[in-house]
């Protein structure tokens, strides 16, 4: 059925446009390359991202005390940063925290006191049990968008799409040098090979009930970023 | 500068004072005003309704009457918009399309004509009243967006009040007023609420349709407002 | 016949009207703040979005072909459906083949258009809408009243009583608690569903990505949690490449709700890749025509296919505020609905359009082919004359204020189309509404100056006032809630003649 339908739809479209489809790809018009954020230096991008992220209700810490001291700071967070992450999780009643392999590696030698870290696992039903019952999850963010205050995440090996979605609280580890300026910039960095990429712009929300804004309807109601 | 007056069918029947005021304003601005007795209507009501055959007949008549005019000036945003924006649609595929487009190029709503064509940015005289300006929807299609307001705000002693949700329609809509009477009135009453809340005593607009509709609601509901056309305000101010 | 939309507006509860009004007014303000406050060149973004969408329509066959190829290469399955029945059957066939029993859905106007839920339930599947507003609509057996905010017409109390009846939790007036009740209930569905059906906001041809923009998170669950993901899209949803998404992502959320971006923007290319711990095993994209190709052939109205379903036109429309979406008696309401509904319905019945040659690549409307022998003065008939009689009334439910054209991110000339559709309705004799005058006698008088002058002069006579009391439908409609102005004793023409004589 689908083949006949396909043929007929193409026939209808061809007839509507009054010409046969061409073998070469069309040239689209310009995508309006007006940059909304024209600066590219990291400290300013970081500031803008932070302001936007917080405006949306997100939370943020620095993994290192001096954020512009070194051009390329080591990604492993300092002891005090790990401690504050741990106390943040404890304060929010997070006992069981799911953690991505890459994120675990990034935390390095640091442990998080008072919190049980559980690696993402297979098989899927166990993974699901974990993600639907844990109090929080820690994953890597592959990038961020300063203009909109968004995190960029790709699916990938040893990663779970639901890790940043199912738990009520999500912590993303974000390398500073992966923050890009604006949506236009972010689109150029969309990987051609990734099966699913998502931009997360704040906590999940809805105003469907009487126009009243409520956070955490389906996705996490609390979202936090640790900057590395 | 010659200005041919398009009176509009509504002013012809109901509001001669708007026509008279328009002539006075144009003469005060230094124009020689012409009034061709053969004129009737721009054809908008039929076009709005969807009867393009009838609209075309009426529009063609208007085209003939004003074929030789230098400038066509209308005390109505909706009629000016009809000629400038509606005629190219109405005359699409017709042999006299070029003529219709050419008329559109020399047609102006009154305040547009004063501000953009004659370069008048300040009008003469005093007008010590609390006024709310209703910027009718057809100014969206014209260049006239703020010409009426500009002229009014230049009057001495005028108290021009800002109006909430000023971009919202008054609900007249031409044939809409007759085919959807409940909504037309409800939208108008909402508009009156905002106009009243502004503290104005007068509602001024460049569109007779809007004024007739709002005026009819004011009369029925007893709202403490008067309606005036912008031409009447300018004429009165200039005499003061 | 009395206009249905007007009748609906009249009986609509005042509380509903107030909530529709205030929500709309708020969104109008937020849109302006966000567009003008944020973007360096909002008009430029609109121009780019309009041009890109027009380019897509002008090269639709090419873009569809490229998109299909990319999806297949990435491991997704592509299905084609000519109409609603075929689309429904395609979804059911996929479910049968994959052993699906329970289905979760996220927001999809197209799924409502093709009446998918009823068909799935009839075939024995459990279908749960997971968007909070749509979920409420579903369990209440209601219909959405706005493209973006479906239950703007319901109060907290109503929703709470509904949840209580459904066993979600005890009665409460707290929106927060109600939301948590829904979260707990729907979470179980996300966890256990066999199949997720989503809509598509943008389908990127060159990269083969399906882009889904949502706020709640259910869209992500629906596309990621169940083993089977079905994405439903109309043929017109294409965008050329990733870069060309920029103006759309700038404009969509800002136009709809004044946000910079929706909370979640998903770019989905393929099912689960090797090594990934979760994600669907199968990804199916169902590409649906259902009348769109007929509109594509319409020289005067094809631009309506640019629509990105942002809802900005609804938010600003004075008529929408009086009726909410329900008043349009169609899946699509508001200004876009008033144009799309009569066209889509006619397009469904007339799927093979008459031949109509377009000039591809032009950003403006296709030229209509003139009939060479038409005598002077006869309106030129159009090669496609799409308008469905049952929706022919909708384009008349408008004051033609053009606020919609002011806000449309892809510059659809809605007011022009409303006028075009009105003309088609008149030509076909559809939707003869009471209150509407007959313009043929008007034209007869308005083309004869002496007859016109005589008619105007007659209104100066003492008996004229009484004549207005005659049961003339349009006068009666006026008088329901308005007074007619008095006929003046002397007219302009008399004043002018007197003045000329004095010179």
């Amino acid at each position: 059925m689908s083949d006949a339908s396909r043929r007929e739809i193409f026939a209808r479209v061809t007839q509507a446009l009054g010409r046969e489809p061409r073998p070469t790809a069309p040239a689209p018009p310009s995508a309006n390359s007006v940059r909304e954020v024209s600066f590219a230096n990291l400290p300013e991008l970081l500031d803008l991202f932070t302001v936007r992220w917080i405006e949306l209700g997100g939370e943020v810490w620095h993994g290192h005390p001096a954020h512009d001291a070194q051009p390329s700071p080591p990604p492993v967070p300092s002891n005090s940063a790990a401690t504050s992450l741990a106390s943040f999780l404890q304060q929010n009643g997070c006992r069981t925290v799911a953690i991505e392999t890459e994120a675990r590696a990034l935390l390095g030698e640091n442990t998080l006191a008072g919190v049980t870290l559980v690696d993402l696992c297979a098989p899927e039903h166990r993974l699901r049990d974990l993600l639907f019952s844990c109090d929080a999850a820690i994953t890597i963010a592959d990038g961020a968008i300063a203009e909109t205050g968004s995190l960029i995440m790709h699916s990938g090996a040893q990663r779970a799409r639901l890790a940043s979605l199912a738990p009520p609280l999500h912590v993303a580890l974000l390398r500073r040098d992966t923050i890009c300026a604006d949506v236009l910039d972010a689109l150029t960095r969309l990987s051609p090979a990734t099966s699913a990429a998502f931009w997360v712009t704040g906590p999940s929300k809805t105003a469907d009930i009487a126009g009243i804004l409520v956070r955490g309807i389906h996705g996490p109601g609390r979202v936090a970023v640790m900057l590395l | 500068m010659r200005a041919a007056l398009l009176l509009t069918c509504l002013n012809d029947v109901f509001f001669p004072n708007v026509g008279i005021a328009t002539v006075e304003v144009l003469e005060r601005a230094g124009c020689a005003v012409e009034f061709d007795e053969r004129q009737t209507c721009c054809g908008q009501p039929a076009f709005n309704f969807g009867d393009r055959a009838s609209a075309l007949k009426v529009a063609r008549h208007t085209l003939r009457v004003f074929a030789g005019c230098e400038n066509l000036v209308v005390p109505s945003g909706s009629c000016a918009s009809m000629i400038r924006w509606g005629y190219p649609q109405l005359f699409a595929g017709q042999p006299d399309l070029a003529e219709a487009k050419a008329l559109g190029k020399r047609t102006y709503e009154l305040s547009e004509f004063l501000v953009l064509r004659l370069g008048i940015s300040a009008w003469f005289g005093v007008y010590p009243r609390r006024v709310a300006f209703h910027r009718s929807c057809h100014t969206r299609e014209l260049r006239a967006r703020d010409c009426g307001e500009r002229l009014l705000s230049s009057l001495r002693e005028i108290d021009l009040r800002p109006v909430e949700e000023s971009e919202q329609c008054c609900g007249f809509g031409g044939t809409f007023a007759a085919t959807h009477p409940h909504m037309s009135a409800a939208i108008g009453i909402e508009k009156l609420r905002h106009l009243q809340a502004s503290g104005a005593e007068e509602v001024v607009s460049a569109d007779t349709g809007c004024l007739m509709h709002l005026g009819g609601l004011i009369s029925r509901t007893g709202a403490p407002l008067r309606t005036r056309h912008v031409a009447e305000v300018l004429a009165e101010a200039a005499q003061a | 016949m009395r206009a249905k939309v007007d009748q609906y507006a009249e009986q609509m509860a005042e509380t509903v009207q107030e909530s529709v009004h205030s929500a709309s007014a708020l969104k109008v303000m937020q849109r302006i703040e966000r567009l003008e406050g944020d973007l360096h060149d909002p008009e430029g973004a609109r121009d780019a979005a309009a041009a890109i969408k027009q380019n897509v329509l002008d090269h639709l066959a090419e873009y569809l072909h490229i998109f299909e190829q990319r999806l297949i290469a990435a491991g997704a399955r592509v299905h084609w459906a000519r109409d609603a029945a075929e689309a429904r059957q395609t979804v059911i066939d996929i479910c049968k083949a994959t052993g699906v029993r329970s289905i979760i859905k996220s927001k999809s106007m197209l799924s409502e258009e093709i009446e998918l839920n009823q068909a799935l339930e009839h075939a024995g599947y459990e279908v749960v809408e997971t968007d909070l507003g749509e979920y409420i609509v579903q369990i209440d057996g209601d219909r959405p009243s706005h493209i973006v905010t479906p239950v703007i017409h319901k109060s907290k109390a109503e929703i709470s009583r509904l949840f209580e009846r459904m066993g979600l939790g005890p009665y409460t007036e707290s929106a927060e608690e109600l939301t948590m009740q829904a979260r707990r209930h729907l979470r179980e569905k996300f966890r256990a569903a066999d199949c997720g059906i989503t809509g598509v906001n943008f389908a990127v041809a060159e990269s083969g990505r399906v882009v889904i923009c949502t706020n709640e998170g259910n869209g992500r669950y629906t596309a990621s949690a169940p083993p089977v993901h079905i994405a439903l899209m109309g043929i017109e949803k294409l965008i050329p490449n990733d870069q060309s998404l920029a103006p759309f992502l700038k404009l969509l959320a800002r136009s709809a709700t004044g946000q910079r971006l929706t909370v979640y923007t998903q770019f989905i290319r393929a099912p689960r890749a090797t090594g990934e711990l979760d994600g669907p095993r199968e990804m199916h994209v169902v590409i649906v025509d259902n009348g769109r190709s007929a509109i594509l052939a319409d020289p005067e109205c094809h631009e309506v296919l640019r629509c990105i379903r942002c809802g900005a036109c609804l938010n600003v429309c004075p008529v929408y505020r009086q009726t909410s979406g329900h008043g349009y008696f169609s899946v699509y309401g508001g200004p876009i609905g008033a144009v799309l509904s009569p066209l889509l319905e006619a397009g469904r019945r007339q799927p093979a359009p008459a031949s109509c040659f377009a000039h591809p690549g032009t950003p403006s409307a296709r030229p209509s082919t003139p009939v060479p022998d038409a005598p002077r003065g006869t309106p030129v008939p159009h090669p496609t004359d799409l308008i469905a009689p049952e929706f022919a009334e909708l384009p008349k439910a408008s004051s033609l204020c053009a606020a919609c054209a002011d806000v449309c991110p892809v510059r659809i000339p809605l007011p022009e189309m409303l006028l075009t559709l009105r003309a088609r309705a008149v030509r076909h004799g559809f939707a003869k509404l009471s209150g509407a005058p007959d313009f043929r006698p008007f034209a007869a008088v308005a083309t004869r100056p002496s007859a016109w002058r005589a008619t105007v002069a007659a209104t100066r006579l003492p008996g004229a006032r009484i004549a207005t009391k005659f049961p003339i439908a349009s006068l009666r409609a006026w008088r329901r809630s308005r007074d007619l102005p008095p006929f003046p004793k002397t007219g302009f023409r008399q004043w002018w003649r007197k003045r000329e004589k004095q010179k």
Side-chain angles (χ1 to χ4, degrees):
Chain A
M1 171 170 71
S2 200
D3 271 343
S5 307
R6 181 186 184 282
R7 268 198 308 275
E8 189 173 326
I9 290 175
F10 273 98
R12 290 176 188 170
V13 169
T14 298
Q15 200 166 10
L17 298 176
R19 60 167 181 79
E20 291 298 321
R22 300 192 183 115
T24 51
S30 155
N32 175 227
S33 48
V34 169
R35 299 302 303 266
E36 301 303 337
V37 173
S38 47
F39 48 83
N41 70 84
L42 280 178
E44 282 185 14
L45 289 181
L46 181 55
D47 281 345
L48 180 57
F49 170 76
T50 307
V51 164
R52 291 277 140 93
W53 180 253
I54 291 172
E55 248 172 29
L56 290 162
E59 295 159 81
V60 61
W61 314 267
H62 292 255
H64 308 278
H67 64 89
D68 57 357
Q70 298 136 66
S72 157
V76 175
S78 68
N79 227 300
S80 60
T83 309
S84 54
L85 171 54
S87 51
F88 170 75
L89 289 169
Q90 277 179 65
Q91 273 160 29
N92 286 283
C94 298
R95 293 280 150 71
T96 311
V97 176
I99 186 161
E100 228 172 43
T101 316
E102 283 168 83
R104 169 92 83 170
L106 212 53
L107 280 179
E109 296 300 305
N110 291 297
T111 52
L112 301 179
V115 166
T116 310
L117 291 177
V118 183
D119 292 300
L120 298 186
C121 53
E124 208 169 331
H125 68 268
R126 272 186 59 209
L127 175 67
R128 204 154 279 210
D129 284 345
L130 169 63
L131 292 177
F132 277 79
S133 64
C134 67
D135 304 311
I138 305 174
T139 71
I140 302 284
D142 297 294
I145 311 176
E147 178 205 350
T148 51
S150 308
L151 293 176
I152 299 172
M153 287 177 280
H154 294 145
S155 59
Q158 302 315 307
R159 292 183 178 191
R161 298 182 190 190
L162 295 183
S164 56
L165 182 65
L169 194 154
H170 172 228
V171 178
L173 305 179
L174 173 69
R175 292 181 59 136
R176 279 186 202 115
D177 56 3
T178 61
I179 298 176
C180 66
D182 55 18
V183 164
L184 201 66
D185 205 358
L187 286 169
T188 60
R189 300 185 193 197
L190 267 180
S191 157
T194 194
S195 57
F198 17 94
W199 297 350
V200 173
T201 311
S204 140
K205 62 186 181 192
T206 182
D208 270 350
I209 296 183
I212 297 164
L213 189 69
V214 177
R215 290 193 181 143
I217 164 73
H218 296 303
R222 302 281 301 274
V223 288
V225 166
M226 176 180 286
L227 292 159
L228 302 175
Chain B
M1 180 86 60
R2 287 162 49 213
L5 173 67
L6 177 62
L7 180 60
T8 82
C9 54
L10 284 181
N11 288 330
D12 213 342
V13 175
F14 289 111
F15 305 108
N17 292 332
V18 173
I20 295 167
T22 305
V23 172
E24 287 170 0
V25 164
L26 287 169
E27 286 178 342
R28 186 72 167 82
C31 294
V33 180
E34 299 156 359
F35 178 73
D36 193 314
E37 296 252 12
R38 297 173 297 159
Q39 64 180 271
T40 56
C41 169
C42 67
Q44 175 172 84
F47 177 68
N48 177 305
F49 175 68
D51 182 355
R52 295 213 177 177
S54 297
L56 209 49
K57 288 193 182 112
V58 178
R60 275 213 169 97
H61 174 79
T62 299
L63 219 54
R64 276 196 294 271
V65 170
F66 295 107
C69 75
E70 186 184 309
N71 302 292
L72 181 58
V73 182
V74 200
S76 162
S78 72
C79 308
S81 166
M82 174 63 193
I83 295 172
R84 203 170 319 130
W85 180 80
Y87 276 16
Q89 281 179 74
L90 179 59
F91 283 83
Q94 297 292 320
D96 40 358
L97 173 62
E99 218 185 301
K101 282 184 173 164
L103 181 62
K105 287 208 172 71
R106 51 187 206 277
T107 298
Y108 303 85
E109 179 268 329
L110 175 64
S111 49
E112 226 190 359
F113 184 69
L114 296 171
V115 174
L116 299 176
R117 188 81 171 85
L118 298 183
I120 295 170
S121 50
W123 192 251
F124 321 91
V126 278
Y127 200 77
R129 312 251 176 93
R130 301 187 314 274
V131 168
F133 184 68
H134 170 61
R135 201 192 71 201
S136 52
C137 296
H138 284 283
T139 54
R140 280 194 172 94
E141 290 129 21
L142 304 173
R143 296 172 298 253
R145 282 198 185 225
D146 61 351
C147 293
E149 262 157 314
R150 244 195 276 180
L151 289 171
L152 286 178
S153 61
S154 73
L155 294 171
R156 281 181 290 129
E157 294 179 44
I158 194 170
D159 180 2
L160 205 51
R161 296 296 175 99
V163 181
E164 287 279 312
E165 297 205 282
S166 58
E167 85 290 346
Q168 282 282 306
C169 180
C170 72
F172 173 60
T175 52
F176 176 73
T179 56
H180 293 75
H182 170 82
M183 288 201 291
S184 174
I187 296 168
I189 291 188
E190 183 63 26
K191 174 60 71 177
L192 282 184
R193 215 171 48 81
H194 287 308
L195 289 169
Q196 244 183 285
S198 76
E201 56 186 305
E202 253 176 31
V203 179
V204 175
S205 175
D207 223 292
T208 311
C210 304
L211 290 172
M212 200 167 121
H213 169 72
L214 290 172
L217 288 169
I218 287 168
S219 165
R220 184 65 66 88
T221 62
L225 284 167
R226 284 189 305 273
T227 55
R228 286 207 101 187
H229 192 280
V230 74
E232 293 177 292
V233 172
L234 296 178
E236 185 178 318
Q239 279 155 21
Chain C
M1 67 197 216
R2 169 93 192 272
K4 277 203 308 217
V5 184
D6 205 48
Q7 280 184 67
Y8 185 87
E10 190 159 19
Q11 60 77 51
M12 198 167 87
E14 225 176 279
T15 47
V16 176
Q17 208 265 309
E18 268 159 29
S19 49
V20 171
H21 185 120
S22 55
S24 302
L26 179 63
K27 277 186 267 180
V28 166
M29 217 177 57
Q30 287 170 332
R31 172 190 168 272
I32 291 175
E33 263 169 40
R34 204 32 97 218
L35 272 181
E36 288 167 21
D38 267 8
L39 298 182
H40 289 95
D41 183 13
E43 294 308 304
R46 289 173 74 195
D47 289 337
I52 291 167
K53 269 295 182 180
Q54 193 57 46
N55 172 265
V56 166
L57 295 177
D58 291 339
H59 297 90
L60 193 59
E62 285 89 331
Y63 284 120
L64 281 170
H65 188 64
I66 293 168
F67 182 61
E68 179 190 40
Q69 283 187 319
R70 296 288 183 277
L71 279 173
I72 291 172
R77 298 268 315 275
V78 180
H79 310 260
W80 299 83
R82 284 170 285 201
D83 55 29
E86 214 160 74
R88 294 191 295 258
Q89 193 56 50
T90 302
V91 172
I92 289 173
D93 288 345
I94 295 168
C95 292
K96 276 205 196 114
T98 51
V100 163
R101 277 157 315 171
S102 62
I103 300 170
I104 50 175
K105 282 186 70 232
S106 70
K107 190 81 178 278
S108 163
M109 293 302 301
L110 179 56
S111 73
E112 287 167 38
E113 186 190 311
I114 64 172
E115 295 175 308
L116 181 62
N117 288 9
Q118 300 91 300
L120 287 172
E121 279 159 2
H122 195 68
Y125 298 99
E126 180 200 52
V127 184
V128 179
E129 289 286 350
T130 61
D131 176 281
L132 181 59
E134 297 287 348
Y135 172 68
I136 292 169
V137 161
Q138 183 183 42
I139 59 179
D140 201 23
D142 198 347
R143 284 187 305 129
S145 61
H146 187 281
I147 282 176
V148 176
T149 49
V151 291
I152 206 171
H153 62 290
K154 279 191 172 356
S155 69
K156 269 185 295 180
E158 282 175 81
I159 293 171
S160 194
R161 279 193 289 271
L162 179 62
F163 281 9
E164 205 179 17
R165 268 201 325 270
M166 300 295 299
L168 264 60
Y171 183 86
T172 170
E173 297 253 340
S174 155
E176 184 115 17
E177 274 170 50
L178 285 171
T179 304
M180 289 306 120
Q181 286 179 9
R183 174 188 166 87
R184 278 192 294 270
H185 178 79
L186 289 168
R187 213 164 153 75
E188 289 315 303
K189 304 292 177 184
F190 295 139
R191 193 176 169 147
D194 304 313
C195 172
I197 302 178
T198 66
V200 170
N201 289 92
F202 306 104
V204 188
E206 195 188 64
S207 52
R209 292 187 223 269
V210 155
V211 183
I212 304 174
C213 306
T214 56
N215 280 313
E216 298 182 7
N218 60 311
R220 276 183 66 193
Y221 272 120
T222 309
S224 295
V228 178
H229 172 210
I230 302 176
L232 278 178
M233 58 177 269
I235 56 173
E236 84 284 18
K237 286 297 191 175
L238 291 157
I239 298 288
N241 54 44
D242 288 340
Q243 288 301 288
S244 53
L245 277 172
F248 296 95
L249 292 178
K250 285 187 195 188
L251 292 169
L252 176 62
R254 287 183 172 98
S255 301
T257 53
Q259 294 172 273
R260 290 194 177 91
L261 284 177
T262 52
V263 178
Y264 304 110
T265 312
Q266 296 178 81
F267 302 87
I268 302 175
R269 247 189 80 250
R272 178 198 302 212
T274 322
E276 289 178 13
L277 298 177
D278 64 6
R281 303 265 182 209
E282 289 186 31
M283 175 178 166
H284 298 259
V285 179
V286 182
I287 304 180
V288 183
D289 183 353
N290 204 30
R292 288 151 174 75
S293 57
I295 300 177
L296 188 64
D298 187 330
E300 292 169 300
C301 296
H302 68 275
E303 289 104 329
V304 78
L305 294 175
R306 295 181 194 163
C307 177
I308 61 174
R309 308 288 193 264
C310 70
C313 59
L314 274 69
N315 293 337
V316 82
C317 178
V319 169
Y320 173 79
R321 288 182 187 192
Q322 296 293 326
T323 64
S324 84
H326 290 169
Y328 291 82
F329 300 97
S330 166
V331 172
Y332 301 106
I336 187 69
V339 173
L340 203 51
S341 308
L343 290 172
L344 267 181
E345 185 64 29
R348 276 171 215 139
R349 288 187 215 138
Q350 204 185 297
S355 210
C356 163
F357 293 94
H359 298 178
T362 53
S364 54
R366 303 158 198 288
S368 52
T369 52
V371 175
D373 299 325
R376 192 177 197 263
T378 309
V380 176
H382 301 280
T384 67
D385 212 4
L386 285 183
I387 181 166
E390 49 276 74
F391 293 114
E393 183 191 306
L394 294 183
K396 300 176 195 243
S398 165
S399 66
L400 296 175
C401 74
C404 49
D406 260 5
V407 300
C408 178
V410 286
R411 300 206 193 275
I412 299 172
L414 287 167
E416 275 174 342
M417 291 181 184
L418 291 167
L419 285 165
T420 297
L421 290 170
R422 288 181 185 194
R424 289 182 188 176
V426 165
R427 277 203 298 277
H428 288 279
F430 293 160
K432 294 198 161 111
L433 299 178
S434 59
D438 186 343
F439 284 96
R440 285 165 305 182
F442 178 83
V445 174
T447 48
R448 294 173 177 78
S450 46
W452 177 270
R453 288 193 292 262
T455 311
V456 171
T459 67
R460 314 283 171 236
L461 299 173
R465 193 83 216 166
I466 302 165
T468 65
K469 300 276 189 348
F470 284 135
I472 300 165
S474 43
L475 278 178
R476 235 205 332 231
W478 184 272
R479 284 208 140 100
R480 266 168 125 249
S481 30
R482 290 161 285 215
D483 290 338
L484 208 54
F487 290 117
K489 295 241 168 51
T490 53
F492 176 86
R493 293 173 189 261
Q494 284 155 285
W495 175 85
W496 179 268
R497 255 179 246 131
K498 205 162 130 186
R499 222 179 68 133
E500 293 298 284
K501 277 208 193 95
Q502 281 165 2
K503 282 191 186 157

